[in-house]
Amino acid sequence: MSDSRAIIIDGDQAVFEITFGNALTTMVPIGNMKGSGEATFDSNTLCVLGDEKELKVENVPYNSPPFVGGQGTVKIEKLESDQVAGHTNSGGKKVILKGKKFKAKLEVSSPAKDPNGVPDPNVMYTGGMGEFKTTNTKFTGT
């Protein structure tokens, strides 16, 4: 089976890289997908297009020099074309595939501050990436 064609199922992980443009998180953000498809695999609901918008990792520490000590929420910004099935669907929605890497963003919830206490003016950092880690090794989509 091609690992990149594996269908993402409820509970699979979205593992984000630590770089979001000029911002760096001080931990590896990891979130669990919540499936809303009608079909299941090994008692786990399939993840369908739109489920990625519900995933968020909150209270992620970040720095963007000279600003340090901020917190934000990491989200999937956009899936790539190899992460959306062309034909396989569940409940009329295309299933999400492992694919390669998705685009990610960091939304600032508590701005980092510079040495003078001036807050980071950015409310969001884009340019992040992440990938799915799946326990599904048998069920693929096209």
Side-chain angles (χ1 to χ4, degrees):
M1 172 188 101
S2 170
D3 183 52
S4 66
R5 304 305 297 167
I7 294 174
I8 300 303
I9 57 177
D10 190 78
D12 281 347
Q13 292 183 327
V15 180
F16 297 87
E17 295 177 1
I18 63 168
T19 305
F20 294 83
N22 293 331
L24 294 171
T25 61
T26 59
M27 59 174 267
V28 175
I30 299 174
N32 292 321
M33 290 291 290
K34 178 80 176 135
S36 69
E38 291 181 5
T40 62
F41 175 72
D42 281 349
S43 301
N44 294 299
T45 306
L46 302 186
C47 292
V48 294
L49 196 57
D51 290 344
E52 78 283 359
K53 293 180 182 355
E54 302 302 314
L55 182 130
K56 59 185 174 181
V57 184
E58 298 178 302
N59 302 316
V60 176
Y62 85 94
N63 297 320
S64 181
F67 306 101
V68 297
Q71 285 195 331
T73 300
V74 174
K75 297 179 177 181
I76 295 173
E77 183 175 14
K78 181 180 183 296
L79 296 177
E80 294 298 337
S81 59
D82 69 344
Q83 294 174 309
V84 180
H87 303 289
T88 309
N89 66 63
S90 176
K93 294 182 179 179
K94 295 180 186 283
V95 297
I96 297 174
L97 305 175
K98 182 180 184 310
K100 293 191 175 102
K101 296 198 180 221
F102 52 75
K103 292 182 178 168
K105 62 184 175 182
L106 170 71
E107 295 177 349
V108 174
S109 53
S110 176
K113 293 184 172 50
D114 75 6
N116 297 318
V118 176
D120 180 358
N122 294 300
V123 295
M124 183 183 342
Y125 288 92
T126 57
M129 303 289 281
E131 64 182 326
F132 292 115
K133 300 289 184 185
T134 182
T135 56
N136 167 21
T137 59
K138 298 177 183 162
F139 195 39
T140 62
T142 58

